[in-house]
Amino acid sequence: MIRTAKGADVPRLVQLNPSVHDVHLAADPVHYAPTEAAAVADWYTAKLAEDGVLVGIVEDCGADLGFVLTVRVDRAATPFSHARRTLVVDQLAVVDGARGRGLGGALMDWAEARARALGCASVVLDVAAFNTHAEGFYRCRGYVPQMHRMGLAL
């Protein structure tokens, strides 16, 4: 079952966050920082209060097993592009012991359904270059690269 997170779910999100953050921290400690629970709780509290943020939590038998954090983004037309509403998947996490059971796919189904209901033209997300597993997951769902971000460490 997937439910929409509320402010009371912040402690659950804090517990689930290492499922996604620790992978990134281990692979890229220059970019990603170790976290403290209180700061993570404050961040999720602020995020849940933002207009356009939707978080779905997947649970089974009373256990929280993962979440997806999405942000609706409205871009005004410019001389170079059309107005556009998109849903950005900012975070997707499934706890280690629950991976491979279709929960990530169910969370993405939830996010994509919300995007359609909100009138979004697309769902977009970033995948860190090291995270080939996540890239494969999204490709299997029909996601394709739209842009490549290049970087130079100074």
Side-chain angles (χ1 to χ4, degrees), residues 71-75 84-88 115 119-124:
V71 182
R72 185 196 70 234
V73 176
D74 291 312
R75 296 189 191 263
R84 187 170 185 85
R85 173 175 278 184
T86 59
L87 191 75
V88 177
C120 295
S122 63
V123 177
V124 298

Side-chain angles (χ1 to χ4, degrees), residues 49-69:
E50 288 180 21
D51 183 44
V53 171
L54 286 172
V55 178
I57 297 176
V58 64
E59 56 184 33
D60 186 34
C61 299
D64 298 318
L65 301 177
F67 73 98
V68 61
L69 187 150

Side-chain angles (χ1 to χ4, degrees), residues 1-147:
M1 176 183 104
I2 299 174
R3 60 185 170 73
T4 302
K6 307 287 185 211
D9 290 309
V10 166
R12 291 176 173 90
L13 294 169
V14 171
Q15 281 187 300
L16 291 167
N17 179 264
S19 297
V20 66
H21 185 74
D22 289 356
V23 171
H24 291 78
L25 177 61
D28 188 0
V30 171
H31 181 77
Y32 297 96
T35 58
E36 295 180 9
V40 173
D42 289 346
W43 188 85
Y44 280 117
T45 298
K47 276 311 234 190
L48 287 173
E50 288 180 21
D51 183 44
V53 171
L54 286 172
V55 178
I57 297 176
V58 64
E59 56 184 33
D60 186 34
C61 299
D64 298 318
L65 301 177
F67 73 98
V68 61
L69 187 150
T70 65
V71 182
R72 185 196 70 234
V73 176
D74 291 312
R75 296 189 191 263
T78 72
F80 312 103
S81 64
H82 300 289
R84 187 170 185 85
R85 173 175 278 184
T86 59
L87 191 75
V88 177
V89 173
D90 185 70
Q91 296 181 349
L92 175 67
V94 175
V95 298
D96 285 338
R99 291 187 182 148
R101 294 176 31 194
L103 299 177
L107 286 163
M108 288 302 296
D109 289 345
W110 182 90
E112 292 161 6
R114 279 4 174 231
R116 286 184 195 92
L118 292 167
C120 295
S122 63
V123 177
V124 298
L125 49 89
D126 292 329
V127 178
F130 70 82
N131 200 345
T132 57
H133 179 76
E135 183 178 350
F137 167 78
Y138 293 119
R139 282 182 184 272
C140 285
R141 294 189 60 81
Y143 288 76
V144 296
Q146 293 180 330
M147 183 178 297

